Amino acid sequence: MISAIIRTAMVSLRRDRGALALAFVVPVVFFSIFAVIFGGQRDTTPKVAVILVDEDHSRASQRLIEGFQREGSLNVKTRPDAARGVEQPEYTAASAETAVKSGIAPVALIVPRGFGDNPISFGAGADRSRVQMLEDQSDMVAPQVVAGLLQKVAMTSMPDLMAEQGYQYFDRFAGLTPEQRERIDRSMTTLRALEQDGTIARAADGGLISVARRSVVGEKKNNPMVSFYAAAIGVMFLLFTSTGAAGSLLDEAESGTLDRVLSSRVTMTRLLIGKLTYNTLLGFSQLTLMFVWGWAVFKLDFWSHIPGFVVMGVITSIAVGAFGILLASVSSTRAQLGALSTLLVLVMSAIGGSMFPRYLMPEKMQKAGLATINAWAIDGFTKVFWRDEPVSHLWPQVLVLAGVAVVLFAIARRLARRWEYA
Amino acid sequence: MLLPLHVEALVKRFGRTRAVDGVTLEVRNGECLGLLGPNGAGKSTLIRSIAGRVIPDSGRIAIFGAPAGSGAARDSLGWIPQELALYPRLTCRENLASFGRYNGLGGEDLDRNVAQCLKWATLSDRAGDLVKNLSGGMKRRLNMAAGLIHRPKLVLMDEPTVGVDPQSRNHIFEMIEQLRREGVSIIYTTHYMEEAERLCDRIAIIDHGKIIADGTNTELVRSAFGSRSEVIAHFTGAPELIATWVAGHGGQAVDGEAQFSIDHPSAIGALLDAAAQAGLDVADVALRKPNLESVFLQLTGRELRD
């Protein structure tokens, strides 16, 4: 009798493609996404972008920058990407700060004038030449990585300068005899020669570079990640809600209500526009609730960003609404819609940055994320709430999401012809 | 005066199947036309074509002169599908108001029509109840009311009494008779012959996509059987012997009973004498005047269609 129950259940499962996908496809897909992001694919570990500005142009500053460029984990930018094939001038302190604010890189290092005179310092003396580090706090990893690497690069890329600086300190405060000075100078010459022909090991220890860190984005924010997660989680649940709401089309088709509606003055195009408008209103209400909750409980600065929120909220809701209607148009039954939407929404949310920030992902996956609504929506909300950018700067996100909405809706309208006439 | 419905040489194919195969039909003002046919005969395709939900391959459908599916045709036509095409989480009033708005009603017209439909369906006291909480009969009545919310002059009713108890069915008959008194023209499809006999002025029988008979109930019976009557008899004895004897005397053995068609009731005596001479014992015998069901089975056969 028990075997009969098991057999019945297995046969039912075998014929329910949605349940099969949820049971066996979704877990594997999800596992693979997480494995790629956090696991063994070391060759695709994301590189940290860092902007370097050399105001000193000394031997020491050049050696420091060369040292950074040798670091495999960094993507060093000394000048903006070429525009229409024309090479751009090198970053200055001001343009580097603007670039960090606009999200081109999460960190910028500015090597100031006079750095080469005194590259390392012990204690807080007046002769300290402090490297400026400009940070974007929305990336919690990159500034820490760059700060650590700065010390490491200093040690490994200019040991002779370190030694020279050390002996100058010693000479100033303890004093050296002329004979000692001559012997040290000879040693320094040898050391420089070894460094120049690459014989010297690039692993040394000791020494310090003084760094002045400054947040140029988010320095006044109460809670740096709240706005990110309000948008990230909000969009993910918007996708679920939208597909659920659009599923009413399938209910109506199954019950015969759709036939009755379409025999009235309502055409299929009007019906779908009505559903899209409803989905948009529902989605916008949901996002509003998320952000107001963020303001009330987590001190998110909501009220001073209303215009940007409305623009991103509306366009995101329209795109997500069209996505839901497309899925409903593709599916034959509610069960099929449930399985398909769960699979797609979870995958989109994972690679689109709704579950963890995209800067943690390998570069290829970051690019793949741009194929999702989540990524564009989150980028737009980040511009509004994190970077305090004006509404006019949202045009790329608005354009892409509007384009996505139009294309998805057009495909849904085409597929909905199966309900329209026989 | 324009006819409520005129269908001419209508053809609709699905792949290689001709679901509707050259149907010509009309419904006159205030008339109730019964559309009968076995499962798969083409009734639903014909009804959906009239409702503008199926695009025919050829032929013409005019609803008060307007092509099916046009705005004018939609305004004149009410469709009561066999399914309970309602929103289960809306109340009776909200359902009617929604379908009223879909049909272009608003304001006082909408309120008045909703109230009239609720009263017609005897649901005024349940107006605020959710549809999902109604009984089967109530849902059926509301389903009918939703098709009439815009006061159409021609109504398609697709098996409106499926799955209801005799009381609800009788109530639905009274609702339909009220519509007829108001001059509404109706096309009524059903599998219950007694419903067609009671409600319909005229009956069309469709099979294999063609109209195979069309007329009043009396006309159809006379056309199929003339003045003949049916004799139904049950015999005891070997089934093979009974079947052979019945076939030899022009009858049919169906489900253990023998059926004969006779010109005059007096012929029954000769039939029973012949059975006795053949050694068959008669368990019981009945004389039946042919009715619509007899006509239907005579024309469409007794084989299962689904």
Side-chain angles (χ1 to χ4, degrees), chain B residues 234-293:
Chain B
H234 289 97
F235 297 101
T236 54
E240 297 80 15
L241 180 65
I242 294 170
T244 306
W245 182 84
V246 168
H249 285 77
Q252 285 182 302
V254 180
D255 299 335
E257 69 179 25
Q259 296 182 359
F260 301 92
S261 179
I262 56 174
D263 289 327
H264 194 273
S266 59
I268 198 167
L271 195 64
L272 293 177
D273 288 344
Q277 286 172 12
L280 298 177
D281 291 328
V282 179
D284 63 68
V285 65
L287 182 68
R288 189 170 72 188
K289 297 292 284 182
N291 57 13
L292 187 58
E293 185 169 341

Short mmCIF file of all heavy atoms in Angstrom, two decimals, chain B residues 234-293:
data_model
loop_
_atom_site.label_atom_id
_atom_site.label_comp_id
_atom_site.label_asym_id
_atom_site.label_seq_id
_atom_site.Cartn_x
_atom_site.Cartn_y
_atom_site.Cartn_z
N HIS B 234 -39.45 -5.77 -22.99
CA HIS B 234 -38.38 -6.56 -22.36
C HIS B 234 -38.77 -8.03 -22.42
O HIS B 234 -39.88 -8.38 -22.04
CB HIS B 234 -38.19 -6.13 -20.89
CG HIS B 234 -37.58 -4.77 -20.77
ND1 HIS B 234 -38.32 -3.65 -20.58
CD2 HIS B 234 -36.28 -4.37 -20.82
CE1 HIS B 234 -37.53 -2.59 -20.52
NE2 HIS B 234 -36.27 -3.00 -20.67
N PHE B 235 -37.86 -8.87 -22.93
CA PHE B 235 -38.13 -10.31 -23.04
C PHE B 235 -37.20 -11.07 -22.10
O PHE B 235 -36.11 -10.59 -21.79
CB PHE B 235 -37.88 -10.79 -24.47
CG PHE B 235 -38.80 -10.15 -25.49
CD1 PHE B 235 -38.36 -9.12 -26.29
CD2 PHE B 235 -40.11 -10.61 -25.64
CE1 PHE B 235 -39.19 -8.54 -27.23
CE2 PHE B 235 -40.95 -10.02 -26.58
CZ PHE B 235 -40.50 -8.99 -27.38
N THR B 236 -37.66 -12.23 -21.70
CA THR B 236 -36.76 -13.12 -20.96
C THR B 236 -36.38 -14.24 -21.90
O THR B 236 -37.20 -14.69 -22.71
CB THR B 236 -37.44 -13.69 -19.70
OG1 THR B 236 -38.66 -14.31 -20.09
CG2 THR B 236 -37.70 -12.61 -18.67
N GLY B 237 -35.16 -14.72 -21.79
CA GLY B 237 -34.70 -15.79 -22.66
C GLY B 237 -33.25 -15.55 -23.07
O GLY B 237 -32.59 -14.63 -22.57
N ALA B 238 -32.79 -16.41 -23.95
CA ALA B 238 -31.39 -16.31 -24.39
C ALA B 238 -31.20 -15.01 -25.18
O ALA B 238 -31.96 -14.74 -26.13
CB ALA B 238 -31.04 -17.50 -25.27
N PRO B 239 -30.20 -14.22 -24.82
CA PRO B 239 -29.99 -12.91 -25.47
C PRO B 239 -29.80 -13.03 -26.99
O PRO B 239 -30.30 -12.22 -27.74
CB PRO B 239 -28.72 -12.37 -24.80
CG PRO B 239 -28.66 -13.06 -23.49
CD PRO B 239 -29.27 -14.40 -23.69
N GLU B 240 -29.07 -14.11 -27.43
CA GLU B 240 -28.83 -14.25 -28.86
C GLU B 240 -30.14 -14.48 -29.61
O GLU B 240 -30.38 -13.90 -30.68
CB GLU B 240 -27.88 -15.43 -29.14
CG GLU B 240 -26.48 -15.28 -28.55
CD GLU B 240 -26.42 -15.62 -27.07
OE1 GLU B 240 -27.39 -16.23 -26.56
OE2 GLU B 240 -25.45 -15.21 -26.41
N LEU B 241 -30.99 -15.32 -29.01
CA LEU B 241 -32.28 -15.63 -29.62
C LEU B 241 -33.14 -14.38 -29.71
O LEU B 241 -33.77 -14.09 -30.74
CB LEU B 241 -33.00 -16.71 -28.78
CG LEU B 241 -34.37 -17.14 -29.29
CD1 LEU B 241 -34.27 -17.82 -30.65
CD2 LEU B 241 -35.05 -18.09 -28.29
N ILE B 242 -33.13 -13.57 -28.60
CA ILE B 242 -33.92 -12.33 -28.56
C ILE B 242 -33.44 -11.38 -29.64
O ILE B 242 -34.22 -10.82 -30.41
CB ILE B 242 -33.83 -11.68 -27.16
CG1 ILE B 242 -34.49 -12.58 -26.12
CG2 ILE B 242 -34.47 -10.28 -27.16
CD1 ILE B 242 -34.24 -12.14 -24.68
N ALA B 243 -32.11 -11.20 -29.71
CA ALA B 243 -31.54 -10.24 -30.66
C ALA B 243 -31.90 -10.63 -32.09
O ALA B 243 -32.27 -9.80 -32.92
CB ALA B 243 -30.04 -10.17 -30.48
N THR B 244 -31.80 -11.94 -32.39
CA THR B 244 -32.10 -12.41 -33.75
C THR B 244 -33.57 -12.17 -34.09
O THR B 244 -33.92 -11.67 -35.18
CB THR B 244 -31.79 -13.93 -33.86
OG1 THR B 244 -30.45 -14.14 -33.43
CG2 THR B 244 -31.96 -14.42 -35.29
N TRP B 245 -34.44 -12.47 -33.13
CA TRP B 245 -35.88 -12.32 -33.38
C TRP B 245 -36.23 -10.82 -33.56
O TRP B 245 -36.98 -10.45 -34.47
CB TRP B 245 -36.66 -12.91 -32.19
CG TRP B 245 -38.16 -12.81 -32.45
CD1 TRP B 245 -38.93 -13.68 -33.16
CD2 TRP B 245 -39.01 -11.74 -32.02
NE1 TRP B 245 -40.22 -13.27 -33.21
CE2 TRP B 245 -40.31 -12.06 -32.51
CE3 TRP B 245 -38.84 -10.59 -31.28
CZ2 TRP B 245 -41.40 -11.24 -32.28
CZ3 TRP B 245 -39.93 -9.78 -31.06
CH2 TRP B 245 -41.20 -10.08 -31.56
N VAL B 246 -35.65 -9.94 -32.68
CA VAL B 246 -35.95 -8.51 -32.75
C VAL B 246 -35.52 -7.95 -34.10
O VAL B 246 -36.26 -7.23 -34.77
CB VAL B 246 -35.27 -7.74 -31.59
CG1 VAL B 246 -35.34 -6.23 -31.81
CG2 VAL B 246 -35.91 -8.10 -30.26
N ALA B 247 -34.31 -8.33 -34.51
CA ALA B 247 -33.79 -7.83 -35.80
C ALA B 247 -34.67 -8.32 -36.95
O ALA B 247 -34.94 -7.57 -37.91
CB ALA B 247 -32.35 -8.28 -36.00
N GLY B 248 -35.16 -9.58 -36.85
CA GLY B 248 -36.00 -10.14 -37.89
C GLY B 248 -37.36 -9.46 -38.00
O GLY B 248 -38.04 -9.58 -39.02
N HIS B 249 -37.78 -8.72 -36.98
CA HIS B 249 -39.08 -8.04 -36.99
C HIS B 249 -38.92 -6.53 -37.06
O HIS B 249 -39.79 -5.76 -36.65
CB HIS B 249 -39.92 -8.45 -35.76
CG HIS B 249 -40.48 -9.83 -35.90
ND1 HIS B 249 -39.71 -10.98 -35.70
CD2 HIS B 249 -41.73 -10.28 -36.27
CE1 HIS B 249 -40.45 -12.05 -35.91
NE2 HIS B 249 -41.69 -11.65 -36.26
N GLY B 250 -37.73 -6.08 -37.56
CA GLY B 250 -37.53 -4.65 -37.83
C GLY B 250 -37.26 -3.81 -36.60
O GLY B 250 -37.38 -2.57 -36.64
N GLY B 251 -36.85 -4.44 -35.50
CA GLY B 251 -36.57 -3.68 -34.27
C GLY B 251 -35.09 -3.57 -34.00
O GLY B 251 -34.25 -4.05 -34.76
N GLN B 252 -34.77 -2.90 -32.87
CA GLN B 252 -33.38 -2.77 -32.42
C GLN B 252 -33.30 -3.26 -30.98
O GLN B 252 -34.16 -2.92 -30.16
CB GLN B 252 -32.94 -1.30 -32.44
CG GLN B 252 -32.67 -0.75 -33.83
CD GLN B 252 -32.20 0.69 -33.72
OE1 GLN B 252 -32.90 1.54 -33.16
NE2 GLN B 252 -31.02 0.97 -34.24
N ALA B 253 -32.27 -4.07 -30.68
CA ALA B 253 -32.05 -4.48 -29.29
C ALA B 253 -31.00 -3.55 -28.69
O ALA B 253 -29.86 -3.52 -29.16
CB ALA B 253 -31.57 -5.92 -29.25
N VAL B 254 -31.42 -2.77 -27.70
CA VAL B 254 -30.52 -1.79 -27.10
C VAL B 254 -30.56 -1.92 -25.58
O VAL B 254 -31.64 -1.81 -24.97
CB VAL B 254 -30.93 -0.34 -27.48
CG1 VAL B 254 -30.00 0.67 -26.84
CG2 VAL B 254 -30.95 -0.17 -28.99
N ASP B 255 -29.40 -2.17 -25.00
CA ASP B 255 -29.28 -2.25 -23.53
C ASP B 255 -30.34 -3.18 -22.92
O ASP B 255 -31.01 -2.84 -21.94
CB ASP B 255 -29.43 -0.84 -22.91
CG ASP B 255 -28.34 0.10 -23.40
OD1 ASP B 255 -27.26 -0.42 -23.78
OD2 ASP B 255 -28.56 1.32 -23.41
N GLY B 256 -30.55 -4.34 -23.53
CA GLY B 256 -31.47 -5.34 -22.95
C GLY B 256 -32.93 -5.09 -23.26
O GLY B 256 -33.79 -5.86 -22.83
N GLU B 257 -33.21 -4.00 -23.99
CA GLU B 257 -34.62 -3.79 -24.34
C GLU B 257 -34.76 -3.78 -25.86
O GLU B 257 -33.83 -3.42 -26.58
CB GLU B 257 -35.18 -2.50 -23.72
CG GLU B 257 -34.60 -1.23 -24.31
CD GLU B 257 -35.20 0.01 -23.67
OE1 GLU B 257 -35.68 -0.05 -22.52
OE2 GLU B 257 -35.18 1.07 -24.34
N ALA B 258 -35.96 -4.18 -26.30
CA ALA B 258 -36.24 -4.22 -27.74
C ALA B 258 -37.08 -3.01 -28.11
O ALA B 258 -38.05 -2.69 -27.41
CB ALA B 258 -36.97 -5.51 -28.07
N GLN B 259 -36.70 -2.35 -29.21
CA GLN B 259 -37.44 -1.16 -29.63
C GLN B 259 -37.97 -1.39 -31.05
O GLN B 259 -37.21 -1.80 -31.94
CB GLN B 259 -36.53 0.07 -29.61
CG GLN B 259 -36.04 0.42 -28.21
CD GLN B 259 -35.16 1.68 -28.23
OE1 GLN B 259 -34.93 2.26 -29.28
NE2 GLN B 259 -34.70 2.07 -27.06
N PHE B 260 -39.28 -1.08 -31.20
CA PHE B 260 -39.92 -1.22 -32.53
C PHE B 260 -40.65 0.07 -32.84
O PHE B 260 -41.09 0.78 -31.94
CB PHE B 260 -40.94 -2.37 -32.52
CG PHE B 260 -40.36 -3.70 -32.15
CD1 PHE B 260 -40.35 -4.13 -30.82
CD2 PHE B 260 -39.83 -4.54 -33.13
CE1 PHE B 260 -39.81 -5.35 -30.48
CE2 PHE B 260 -39.30 -5.78 -32.79
CZ PHE B 260 -39.28 -6.18 -31.46
N SER B 261 -40.74 0.36 -34.11
CA SER B 261 -41.50 1.50 -34.55
C SER B 261 -42.74 0.96 -35.28
O SER B 261 -42.61 0.15 -36.20
CB SER B 261 -40.65 2.35 -35.50
OG SER B 261 -41.38 3.45 -35.95
N ILE B 262 -43.96 1.45 -34.82
CA ILE B 262 -45.19 0.92 -35.43
C ILE B 262 -46.04 2.08 -35.94
O ILE B 262 -45.99 3.19 -35.40
CB ILE B 262 -45.99 0.07 -34.42
CG1 ILE B 262 -46.31 0.88 -33.14
CG2 ILE B 262 -45.25 -1.21 -34.07
CD1 ILE B 262 -47.21 0.15 -32.16
N ASP B 263 -46.83 1.80 -36.98
CA ASP B 263 -47.66 2.85 -37.59
C ASP B 263 -48.87 3.17 -36.72
O ASP B 263 -49.30 4.33 -36.66
CB ASP B 263 -48.16 2.40 -38.97
CG ASP B 263 -47.03 2.38 -39.99
OD1 ASP B 263 -46.13 3.23 -39.84
OD2 ASP B 263 -47.02 1.50 -40.86
N HIS B 264 -49.42 2.15 -36.06
CA HIS B 264 -50.64 2.37 -35.29
C HIS B 264 -50.56 1.52 -34.02
O HIS B 264 -50.04 0.40 -34.06
CB HIS B 264 -51.87 1.97 -36.13
CG HIS B 264 -53.15 2.47 -35.54
ND1 HIS B 264 -53.84 1.77 -34.59
CD2 HIS B 264 -53.83 3.62 -35.77
CE1 HIS B 264 -54.92 2.46 -34.24
NE2 HIS B 264 -54.94 3.60 -34.94
N PRO B 265 -51.10 1.99 -32.91
CA PRO B 265 -51.02 1.21 -31.66
C PRO B 265 -51.60 -0.18 -31.78
O PRO B 265 -51.19 -1.10 -31.05
CB PRO B 265 -51.81 2.07 -30.67
CG PRO B 265 -51.69 3.46 -31.19
CD PRO B 265 -51.67 3.34 -32.68
N SER B 266 -52.53 -0.40 -32.72
CA SER B 266 -53.16 -1.73 -32.82
C SER B 266 -52.16 -2.79 -33.28
O SER B 266 -52.37 -3.99 -33.08
CB SER B 266 -54.34 -1.68 -33.81
OG SER B 266 -53.86 -1.26 -35.08
N ALA B 267 -51.06 -2.35 -33.87
CA ALA B 267 -50.05 -3.30 -34.37
C ALA B 267 -49.31 -3.99 -33.24
O ALA B 267 -48.61 -4.99 -33.46
CB ALA B 267 -49.05 -2.56 -35.27
N ILE B 268 -49.49 -3.49 -32.04
CA ILE B 268 -48.73 -4.05 -30.90
C ILE B 268 -49.18 -5.50 -30.62
O ILE B 268 -48.37 -6.34 -30.20
CB ILE B 268 -48.89 -3.13 -29.66
CG1 ILE B 268 -47.79 -3.44 -28.64
CG2 ILE B 268 -50.26 -3.26 -29.01
CD1 ILE B 268 -47.69 -2.38 -27.55
N GLY B 269 -50.48 -5.79 -30.83
CA GLY B 269 -51.00 -7.14 -30.56
C GLY B 269 -50.33 -8.17 -31.45
O GLY B 269 -49.87 -9.22 -30.97
N ALA B 270 -50.20 -7.86 -32.73
CA ALA B 270 -49.57 -8.79 -33.69
C ALA B 270 -48.12 -9.04 -33.32
O ALA B 270 -47.60 -10.15 -33.42
CB ALA B 270 -49.68 -8.20 -35.09
N LEU B 271 -47.46 -8.02 -32.85
CA LEU B 271 -46.04 -8.13 -32.48
C LEU B 271 -45.88 -9.09 -31.30
O LEU B 271 -44.98 -9.95 -31.29
CB LEU B 271 -45.51 -6.72 -32.12
CG LEU B 271 -44.00 -6.57 -32.04
CD1 LEU B 271 -43.36 -6.82 -33.40
CD2 LEU B 271 -43.65 -5.17 -31.55
N LEU B 272 -46.77 -8.95 -30.31
CA LEU B 272 -46.66 -9.81 -29.12
C LEU B 272 -47.03 -11.26 -29.46
O LEU B 272 -46.41 -12.19 -28.92
CB LEU B 272 -47.60 -9.28 -28.02
CG LEU B 272 -47.20 -7.91 -27.44
CD1 LEU B 272 -48.21 -7.43 -26.40
CD2 LEU B 272 -45.80 -7.97 -26.82
N ASP B 273 -47.98 -11.45 -30.39
CA ASP B 273 -48.32 -12.81 -30.82
C ASP B 273 -47.11 -13.47 -31.48
O ASP B 273 -46.80 -14.64 -31.22
CB ASP B 273 -49.49 -12.78 -31.83
CG ASP B 273 -50.81 -12.43 -31.14
OD1 ASP B 273 -50.85 -12.53 -29.89
OD2 ASP B 273 -51.75 -12.02 -31.84
N ALA B 274 -46.44 -12.73 -32.30
CA ALA B 274 -45.27 -13.28 -33.00
C ALA B 274 -44.17 -13.66 -32.02
O ALA B 274 -43.50 -14.68 -32.18
CB ALA B 274 -44.74 -12.24 -34.01
N ALA B 275 -44.00 -12.86 -30.97
CA ALA B 275 -42.99 -13.17 -29.95
C ALA B 275 -43.33 -14.45 -29.23
O ALA B 275 -42.46 -15.30 -28.98
CB ALA B 275 -42.89 -11.99 -28.97
N ALA B 276 -44.62 -14.61 -28.91
CA ALA B 276 -45.05 -15.83 -28.20
C ALA B 276 -44.83 -17.05 -29.07
O ALA B 276 -44.37 -18.09 -28.58
CB ALA B 276 -46.53 -15.68 -27.80
N GLN B 277 -45.14 -16.93 -30.38
CA GLN B 277 -44.93 -18.07 -31.29
C GLN B 277 -43.45 -18.43 -31.40
O GLN B 277 -43.09 -19.57 -31.62
CB GLN B 277 -45.48 -17.73 -32.68
CG GLN B 277 -47.00 -17.75 -32.72
CD GLN B 277 -47.55 -17.22 -34.04
OE1 GLN B 277 -46.83 -17.04 -35.01
NE2 GLN B 277 -48.86 -16.99 -34.06
N ALA B 278 -42.58 -17.42 -31.23
CA ALA B 278 -41.14 -17.69 -31.32
C ALA B 278 -40.59 -18.22 -30.00
O ALA B 278 -39.39 -18.48 -29.88
CB ALA B 278 -40.41 -16.41 -31.70
N GLY B 279 -41.46 -18.35 -29.00
CA GLY B 279 -41.03 -18.90 -27.71
C GLY B 279 -40.43 -17.89 -26.77
O GLY B 279 -39.76 -18.24 -25.79
N LEU B 280 -40.67 -16.59 -27.01
CA LEU B 280 -40.13 -15.55 -26.12
C LEU B 280 -41.19 -15.15 -25.10
O LEU B 280 -42.37 -14.99 -25.44
CB LEU B 280 -39.71 -14.31 -26.91
CG LEU B 280 -38.59 -14.51 -27.94
CD1 LEU B 280 -38.33 -13.21 -28.70
CD2 LEU B 280 -37.32 -14.97 -27.23
N ASP B 281 -40.74 -15.02 -23.84
CA ASP B 281 -41.66 -14.54 -22.79
C ASP B 281 -41.52 -13.03 -22.66
O ASP B 281 -40.42 -12.51 -22.51
CB ASP B 281 -41.31 -15.20 -21.44
CG ASP B 281 -41.64 -16.67 -21.46
OD1 ASP B 281 -42.61 -17.05 -22.16
OD2 ASP B 281 -40.90 -17.44 -20.80
N VAL B 282 -42.65 -12.33 -22.67
CA VAL B 282 -42.63 -10.88 -22.54
C VAL B 282 -42.66 -10.50 -21.05
O VAL B 282 -43.58 -10.90 -20.33
CB VAL B 282 -43.83 -10.25 -23.26
CG1 VAL B 282 -43.81 -8.72 -23.11
CG2 VAL B 282 -43.84 -10.64 -24.72
N ALA B 283 -41.63 -9.79 -20.58
CA ALA B 283 -41.61 -9.35 -19.18
C ALA B 283 -42.48 -8.10 -19.02
O ALA B 283 -43.27 -7.99 -18.08
CB ALA B 283 -40.18 -9.04 -18.73
N ASP B 284 -42.30 -7.11 -19.88
CA ASP B 284 -43.19 -5.94 -19.88
C ASP B 284 -43.12 -5.28 -21.25
O ASP B 284 -42.19 -5.52 -22.04
CB ASP B 284 -42.84 -4.94 -18.78
CG ASP B 284 -41.47 -4.36 -18.95
OD1 ASP B 284 -41.27 -3.59 -19.91
OD2 ASP B 284 -40.55 -4.67 -18.12
N VAL B 285 -44.13 -4.47 -21.53
CA VAL B 285 -44.19 -3.80 -22.82
C VAL B 285 -44.79 -2.40 -22.63
O VAL B 285 -45.63 -2.21 -21.75
CB VAL B 285 -45.02 -4.63 -23.83
CG1 VAL B 285 -46.47 -4.74 -23.39
CG2 VAL B 285 -44.94 -4.03 -25.24
N ALA B 286 -44.27 -1.42 -23.38
CA ALA B 286 -44.79 -0.06 -23.24
C ALA B 286 -44.89 0.59 -24.62
O ALA B 286 -44.08 0.30 -25.51
CB ALA B 286 -43.86 0.76 -22.36
N LEU B 287 -45.89 1.45 -24.76
CA LEU B 287 -46.08 2.20 -26.00
C LEU B 287 -45.66 3.65 -25.73
O LEU B 287 -46.10 4.25 -24.75
CB LEU B 287 -47.55 2.15 -26.41
CG LEU B 287 -47.90 2.84 -27.72
CD1 LEU B 287 -47.30 2.13 -28.92
CD2 LEU B 287 -49.43 2.94 -27.87
N ARG B 288 -44.77 4.20 -26.59
CA ARG B 288 -44.27 5.56 -26.32
C ARG B 288 -44.35 6.39 -27.59
O ARG B 288 -43.89 5.95 -28.66
CB ARG B 288 -42.82 5.50 -25.83
CG ARG B 288 -42.29 6.81 -25.34
CD ARG B 288 -40.95 6.63 -24.66
NE ARG B 288 -39.89 6.34 -25.63
CZ ARG B 288 -38.65 5.99 -25.29
NH1 ARG B 288 -38.34 5.84 -24.00
NH2 ARG B 288 -37.74 5.76 -26.20
N LYS B 289 -44.92 7.60 -27.43
CA LYS B 289 -44.91 8.51 -28.57
C LYS B 289 -43.50 9.07 -28.70
O LYS B 289 -42.87 9.41 -27.68
CB LYS B 289 -45.90 9.67 -28.34
CG LYS B 289 -47.35 9.26 -28.23
CD LYS B 289 -47.89 8.74 -29.55
CE LYS B 289 -48.19 9.85 -30.55
NZ LYS B 289 -48.76 9.30 -31.81
N PRO B 290 -42.95 9.22 -29.86
CA PRO B 290 -41.59 9.75 -30.00
C PRO B 290 -41.51 11.19 -29.49
O PRO B 290 -42.47 11.95 -29.59
CB PRO B 290 -41.35 9.72 -31.51
CG PRO B 290 -42.43 8.92 -32.10
CD PRO B 290 -43.57 8.91 -31.14
N ASN B 291 -40.40 11.51 -28.90
CA ASN B 291 -40.18 12.88 -28.41
C ASN B 291 -38.85 13.42 -28.97
O ASN B 291 -38.23 12.78 -29.83
CB ASN B 291 -40.20 12.93 -26.88
CG ASN B 291 -39.15 12.00 -26.30
OD1 ASN B 291 -38.27 11.51 -27.01
ND2 ASN B 291 -39.24 11.76 -24.98
N LEU B 292 -38.40 14.55 -28.44
CA LEU B 292 -37.19 15.19 -28.96
C LEU B 292 -35.97 14.28 -28.78
O LEU B 292 -35.09 14.22 -29.65
CB LEU B 292 -36.98 16.53 -28.26
CG LEU B 292 -35.85 17.40 -28.81
CD1 LEU B 292 -36.03 17.71 -30.29
CD2 LEU B 292 -35.75 18.70 -28.01
N GLU B 293 -35.93 13.58 -27.64
CA GLU B 293 -34.79 12.69 -27.41
C GLU B 293 -34.76 11.58 -28.46
O GLU B 293 -33.67 11.20 -28.94
CB GLU B 293 -34.88 12.10 -26.00
CG GLU B 293 -33.66 11.25 -25.67
CD GLU B 293 -33.59 10.88 -24.20
OE1 GLU B 293 -34.26 11.56 -23.39
OE2 GLU B 293 -32.88 9.93 -23.88
#
